[in-house]
Amino acid sequence: MKKIMGRKIAALLMAAFFISAVSAKEKAPYRVSVQNTEAEGSIKPDKYNRQLGYQITDEGKSLQFVFVPSVWKIEKPLEVYVEGSFNGWAKKSPDWELKKIKNQLWTLECPVEDIKIPGNSGFPEFKFIVIGEVEYIESVCGKDITRTKKQTFEPNAVSRIPGYQMASNNLILFPEDNPEDVIKNVELSKTVKKLKEYNLEEEADRERIANFRKVPGTTSLYRGYHPYKISRGHLDTEKPRINAVNQLLKEKGVQSIITLSGNEQIDSKNESISVYVMDIRQNGNQFFVNTHYNTVYYKSASREFGEMMGDIVRFIDTHPAPYYVHCRLGTDRTGVISAVLAALSGASWEEIAADYQKTNELGIQEVRDWRLLKYSFEKMLGKPMEEVTDLQKELSTFFIENKFFSSADFEALKKKLSE
């Protein structure tokens, strides 16, 4: 009897294991693969590609955008374009117009390397822009007459395949990419932290709410949120967040501030500059830089970016420590500039990427993936990060050889940021 019971239990355990394994397999996110066409020039998107809006072909060398009107619920498209992180979100660019292959299929083929430019998600992002013909009723002499007109549509992502959309944008993943990374970021992008989740008597919570922390590789450089401009006024954390920034500036003894969002005017009804920050400003120790998202991520190898970094380095060299660098949220402009300064100070890429990701803990429905920062660094270095052997040396060489700052400026910077 005991043997029979033992065999039954074993069988039940095996069955449970099998069901669990099958269930886990079924829940695994869909991963894209390279599509093979039956004949040269043929395009036959499968049920996944139709939703995702693209397919990968030509042994992984090409990407075809595929627009199927019925999937996007647009009845009479006349023109179809694609805009995305890879073309600066260009609206209706002739270079990015899809061609009508047949009534229910429009396509555009591009080299994969032209597409691998990430958005906030860390992966290429896009939307279709469609000019379509729509019918409307007009009353003329007491009679209803059906007329047509052109209308522009910019439909949100329609796919419900996990890992291939964030907010309203479609994401492009390749066979080597893991959709699980996107799924985690999507959850973070939905997170809104409330004031009651913080204990602002604790320094660690003040730093978290203010996106405030020391930059890796340095002892005298901090980064974070704006100390007086309101960016998320609808959240109950916003004013306490700004108060926390100012408290931390004082606690850390910050003497010089680098403001990357320009010298913005304050709203006298809702905003004010603290006495501590005003003293820094009046002592000539606040430096205003007006840079932009596209510059720090997509034009990091440009003269515009390099000259800005030179100005920041020379400001640090000639002003008292400790320093604070910020933009509005302490996310994009602050994220890249503080990462560059960290690298120049000797921090490793692993430390820099991990620090960049901490901003996602802010809980204001904003997410940035380290792959976006990686793209910016690779533009500067001219090669994949995996091939970089000495980040500090190679990055400083980029700035010095292009005469954005001198070797003496660089040596002074290292000394200042280690004070």
Side-chain angles (χ1 to χ4, degrees):
M1 183 70 178
K2 288 182 179 180
K3 288 183 178 179
I4 294 172
M5 287 298 293
R7 285 196 293 270
K8 285 184 176 179
I9 291 171
L12 287 170
L13 288 172
M14 286 296 292
F17 175 80
F18 177 76
I19 291 170
S20 175
V22 171
S23 176
K25 186 176 180 181
E26 289 176 347
K27 292 181 180 179
Y30 168 77
R31 298 185 76 143
V32 298
S33 59
V34 177
Q35 301 297 308
N36 294 317
T37 52
E38 295 179 0
E40 185 177 352
S42 67
I43 301 171
K44 294 186 177 180
D46 62 22
K47 63 179 182 179
Y48 296 106
N49 302 141
R50 291 160 65 90
Q51 291 183 59
L52 298 177
Y54 75 94
Q55 64 181 8
I56 302 168
T57 61
D58 190 23
E59 299 180 342
K61 299 174 185 176
S62 299
L63 182 142
Q64 290 173 339
F65 290 100
V66 291
F67 177 80
V68 180
S70 59
V71 172
W72 300 84
K73 295 181 169 44
I74 296 177
E75 293 183 1
K76 296 180 179 179
L78 301 174
E79 300 171 36
V80 182
Y81 302 85
V82 65
E83 59 168 343
S85 57
F86 40 80
N87 66 4
W89 295 96
K91 303 283 187 183
K92 304 177 188 176
S93 168
D95 295 332
W96 295 89
E97 183 175 5
L98 281 68
K99 293 183 179 180
K100 184 177 180 180
I101 303 302
K102 52 187 178 181
N103 191 42
Q104 280 295 310
L105 183 61
W106 300 63
T107 71
L108 173 66
E109 183 169 272
C110 307
V112 160
E113 292 307 312
D114 289 352
I115 301 299
K116 284 190 170 182
I117 300 176
N120 292 343
S121 64
F123 300 91
E125 303 179 14
F126 75 96
K127 279 187 173 182
F128 289 116
I129 295 182
V130 185
I131 299 174
E133 185 178 77
V134 295
E135 294 183 350
Y136 67 100
I137 304 297
E138 184 176 22
S139 181
V140 179
C141 296
K143 295 181 180 179
D144 289 342
I145 299 175
T146 301
R147 300 191 185 279
T148 61
K149 63 179 179 180
K150 289 184 178 180
Q151 184 171 329
T152 299
F153 302 90
E154 192 173 355
N156 293 338
V158 298
S159 166
R160 291 297 173 263
I161 304 171
Y164 292 85
Q165 61 283 317
M166 181 177 284
S168 60
N169 293 341
N170 306 282
L171 305 190
I172 297 175
L173 274 66
F174 296 91
E176 66 272 18
D177 297 324
N178 186 355
E180 289 283 6
D181 294 338
V182 177
I183 293 169
K184 292 173 185 175
N185 281 344
V186 168
E187 288 305 310
L188 283 172
S189 72
K190 297 176 182 177
T191 301
V192 177
K193 289 186 179 179
K194 297 185 179 298
L195 185 58
K196 64 183 180 181
E197 298 178 54
Y198 297 94
N199 176 9
L200 297 185
E201 296 298 317
E202 298 289 336
E203 181 178 328
D205 270 11
R206 290 199 298 277
E207 290 187 350
R208 273 192 285 271
I209 199 173
N211 200 15
F212 189 108
R213 55 190 177 272
K214 188 179 291 183
V215 173
T218 76
T219 57
S220 61
L221 176 63
Y222 300 89
R223 44 89 69 237
Y225 209 83
H226 204 294
Y228 49 86
K229 289 299 297 181
I230 292 174
S231 295
R232 293 293 186 272
H234 62 289
L235 300 179
D236 70 349
T237 50
E238 188 69 358
K239 289 191 175 180
R241 188 186 333 277
I242 290 174
N243 290 338
V245 172
N246 284 280
Q247 186 176 348
L248 288 162
L249 289 174
K250 192 172 183 179
E251 289 174 0
K252 304 301 181 184
V254 168
Q255 297 299 305
S256 301
I257 296 176
I258 301 163
T259 299
L260 301 170
S261 49
N263 190 4
E264 300 176 271
Q265 296 298 309
I266 65 168
D267 178 350
S268 58
K269 293 182 180 179
N270 299 299
E271 301 170 341
S272 63
I273 302 175
S274 70
V275 173
Y276 190 83
V277 171
M278 187 59 74
D279 284 345
I280 291 174
R281 176 181 290 196
Q282 289 178 344
N283 287 333
N285 294 328
Q286 185 173 14
F287 180 51
F288 294 100
V289 179
N290 193 13
T291 189
H292 305 283
Y293 176 101
N294 283 345
T295 300
V296 299
Y297 286 126
Y298 304 129
K299 299 178 182 178
S300 55
S302 69
R303 178 153 295 277
E304 176 188 0
F305 182 86
E307 290 178 347
M308 175 186 64
M309 283 306 309
D311 291 341
I312 291 171
V313 167
R314 284 182 286 273
F315 173 81
I316 291 172
D317 289 351
T318 55
H319 289 78
Y323 309 92
Y324 182 63
V325 59
H326 74 91
C327 51
R328 275 299 194 94
L329 308 179
T331 299
D332 297 307
R333 293 166 287 190
T334 301
V336 176
I337 301 306
S338 63
V340 171
L341 293 171
L344 292 173
S345 299
S348 70
W349 169 246
E350 290 73 22
E351 291 173 311
I352 292 167
D355 182 74
Y356 180 83
Q357 289 292 105
K358 287 180 181 178
T359 291
N360 292 336
E361 299 172 10
L362 193 53
I364 59 171
Q365 293 184 306
E366 291 280 345
V367 165
R368 302 293 184 272
D369 186 87
W370 62 271
R371 294 170 182 82
L372 181 55
L373 179 66
K374 180 173 181 275
Y375 180 82
S376 176
F377 268 63
E378 290 177 341
K379 292 281 284 185
M380 286 181 273
L381 296 167
K383 62 181 176 181
M385 289 302 297
E386 292 79 8
E387 297 178 11
V388 176
T389 56
D390 187 332
L391 180 57
Q392 183 185 41
K393 181 179 179 180
E394 293 179 45
L395 193 61
S396 61
T397 297
F398 164 75
F399 289 107
I400 293 169
E401 287 189 350
N402 284 287
K403 303 187 185 311
F404 296 134
F405 54 74
S406 67
S407 297
D409 293 332
F410 175 49
E411 293 302 321
L413 174 76
K414 290 189 290 181
K415 184 177 179 180
K416 279 284 192 173
L417 295 185
S418 63
E419 286 182 359

